[in-house]
Amino acid sequence: MKRMYIIVLALFFAIPMLAQEKTKEKDTKEDVYVWCVMPNKKGQWLKLAPPTPKVVTDFQEKLIYLKLLNEHDIVEKGKLDRATSDAILKMEARKGVTYEAKEIVGFTQGMKNRLLLLYHTAKRAEKAKKKQ
């Protein structure tokens, strides 16, 4: 009977150890988070999604259009390099959004939304200027 209690206790204490090993496997995925402070809001941690080459190229073309980045600063289309990262931080700073990071290695949905808003506003302004 004593053996039975010892076996039950051993299994009882072994289950949490097995559960911890499974969570460690989930943590090995390297997610990148940045501290973001929006205007008139408290700061929050935002997860940067790793960008696909298509998304990066689209982002770079819109940034060039906004005159935030020289065309010559982007060497390879579809590659998120330091120049693109600096331009993204510059664009976000214009909107009043600050990040506790010197370099951005991905995008958030908010970044994409603000870029689209700026891009379409700049495009409409350019069309109105041409009509005059």
Side-chain angles (χ1 to χ4, degrees), residues 18-132:
L18 294 173
Q20 287 177 353
E21 287 177 15
K22 288 181 182 176
T23 56
K24 285 181 184 176
E25 289 175 13
K26 291 178 186 174
D27 293 341
T28 58
K29 186 179 173 186
E30 294 181 16
D31 293 332
V32 178
Y33 290 87
V34 291
W35 182 253
C36 173
V37 180
M38 300 286 287
N40 302 324
K41 292 186 181 176
K42 289 184 178 181
Q44 62 181 355
W45 286 101
L46 294 179
K47 180 181 170 185
L48 293 178
T52 61
K54 182 182 176 187
V55 172
V56 175
T57 302
D58 185 49
F59 222 98
Q60 287 172 329
E61 287 171 358
K62 285 179 172 64
L63 284 170
I64 290 169
Y65 184 81
L66 293 171
K67 312 290 188 278
L68 290 172
L69 188 64
N70 294 329
E71 290 182 48
H72 308 292
D73 288 343
I74 296 177
V75 181
E76 294 179 49
K77 286 280 185 193
K79 181 181 175 191
L80 184 63
D81 57 3
R82 183 61 192 252
T84 308
S85 174
D86 290 345
I88 293 167
L89 290 171
K90 193 177 185 183
M91 175 199 72
E92 292 283 84
R94 282 188 180 179
K95 285 290 197 179
V97 182
T98 57
Y99 295 92
E100 293 261 338
K102 294 179 181 173
E103 192 168 358
I104 297 291
V105 293
F107 302 123
T108 64
Q109 191 58 49
M111 287 179 191
K112 292 177 189 177
N113 294 344
R114 286 186 292 278
L115 177 70
L116 279 171
L117 183 68
L118 274 171
Y119 173 71
H120 289 296
T121 303
K123 236 180 162 181
R124 281 195 301 273
E126 189 178 60
K127 283 180 183 176
K129 195 174 185 180
K130 283 181 182 178
K131 285 181 181 180
Q132 289 179 351

